[in-house]
Amino acid sequence: MGKLIGITADVYLGATDVINQKLMDFVPRPIVDGVLMAGGIPVGLPILPVDKVNQLIERMDGIIFSGGPDIDPSFMGEEPIPKLGVTNRNRDRFEIAMIRTAVAKKIPIFGICRGAQMINVALGGTIYQDLGTQYSGRLIKHKQQAPGDQPTHFVRVDYNSKLYKTIGDNVFVNSRHHQAIKEVPDFLRVVATASDGVIEAIEKEDASIQGAKLNPVQLRFFLTCVKQVLLQIKIRIGNPNRMESGSI
């Protein structure tokens, strides 16, 4: 049996054309397809009250934190700057609880774009609220306007990282963000940067925690990262009832 891989949902703020419902929870189809192709069973995770996190996580074998809006800077002890975009404090609070609980229970996690930043903030790191305002160096364009399935800039990858074994070095990638990881907690490390020095990926040494600004249209990278999550499910120390061999 394939392992259950949770995918955190975003919230559609407008009314849908089909049933005119507002605040619709949704997960990106490319992530769903990627999990299926990697051998897992995708499960959408809507925003829930924090007191439900333990019950929810007990059913998950791994969790992917998807993209979405900006992160509320109050979770870093900061005030919002003028260039901060739309935030969703309820989603932030839910995902912070999910990340911390997953790490405590040794459940592997993978963050994409906003998800990578959320992992960093939840575990004690910081982000730039807006690169154009706060980054001191000369920036390349990180919020691309080209179609989302086309790469636009290069990323350098640390030779000693798990990510290097996945995608190699000097990788041509897509990018769509105006926030970025700033300071990283001690037990995580930076494993990829753009030519301007902006952090593009972080990971824990054993790859049980991974985060990347690269989007899932970089299919080879995405599938391999998901497979790495599934591998960590097999080898992690945890509930022996959830360690049985499966189809992955």
Side-chain angles (χ1 to χ4, degrees):
M1 178 180 176
K3 302 301 182 182
L4 297 180
I5 306 300
I7 305 168
T8 57
D10 200 358
V11 177
Y12 185 70
L13 299 178
T16 63
D17 293 333
V18 179
I19 58 174
N20 198 36
Q21 180 178 346
K22 292 186 177 181
L23 301 180
M24 174 84 68
D25 295 293
F26 70 94
V27 295
R29 187 73 218 185
I31 302 180
V32 171
D33 291 341
V35 171
L36 287 170
M37 291 174 68
I41 299 175
V43 180
L45 304 178
I47 300 167
L48 297 180
V50 171
D51 62 5
K52 303 297 183 185
V53 164
N54 267 310
Q55 291 175 267
L56 178 62
I57 260 186
E58 284 299 324
R59 292 164 171 78
M60 296 296 107
D61 295 295
I63 303 170
I64 294 172
F65 292 86
S66 63
D70 287 0
I71 294 171
D72 187 325
S74 66
F75 291 108
M76 303 182 291
E78 297 180 5
E79 294 282 3
I81 66 171
K83 290 290 187 179
L84 181 70
V86 174
T87 61
N88 185 338
R89 186 172 178 81
N90 290 336
R91 181 179 176 183
D92 294 345
R93 185 185 293 111
F94 169 65
E95 292 190 356
I96 287 171
M98 289 283 287
I99 291 163
R100 291 174 179 171
T101 304
V103 170
K105 292 180 178 292
K106 297 183 171 61
I107 295 172
I109 59 176
F110 172 38
I112 301 168
C113 199
R114 167 201 151 91
Q117 295 171 177
M118 197 76 257
I119 288 172
N120 193 61
V121 169
L123 299 180
T126 60
I127 63 170
Y128 294 100
Q129 294 186 44
D130 176 67
L131 279 171
T133 304
Q134 296 180 312
Y135 190 70
S136 60
R138 183 176 180 181
L139 288 166
I140 63 170
K141 188 177 182 67
H142 285 275
K143 194 170 184 178
Q144 73 179 51
Q145 293 172 295
D149 61 347
Q150 297 179 15
T152 60
H153 72 86
F154 288 91
V155 166
R156 299 300 306 269
V157 183
D158 185 338
Y159 176 79
N160 296 310
S161 67
K162 300 288 186 183
L163 183 60
Y164 180 88
K165 295 176 176 61
T166 301
I167 60 174
D169 192 11
N170 201 36
V171 186
F172 201 27
V173 304
N174 66 332
S175 183
R176 187 165 291 173
H177 60 94
H178 81 108
Q179 296 193 315
I181 293 169
K182 185 178 181 181
E183 297 165 321
V184 177
D186 290 341
F187 58 93
L188 298 180
R189 65 191 191 102
V190 175
V191 295
T193 57
S195 61
D196 56 9
V198 169
I199 296 171
E200 294 283 344
I202 56 175
E203 67 182 29
K204 191 177 178 185
E205 188 173 0
D206 66 359
S208 62
I209 303 172
Q210 298 180 84
K213 299 298 296 180
L214 291 66
N215 282 309
V217 293
Q218 299 294 323
L219 189 59
R220 181 169 63 93
F221 160 77
F222 176 67
L223 290 180
T224 308
C225 283
V226 175
K227 287 177 180 177
Q228 188 65 241
V229 168
L230 298 180
L231 175 63
Q232 287 299 317
I233 292 167
K234 289 184 174 182
I235 66 176
R236 78 180 192 275
I237 300 171
N239 184 343
N241 294 326
R242 296 168 62 199
M243 295 278 287
E244 74 276 11
S245 60
S247 61
I248 61 174

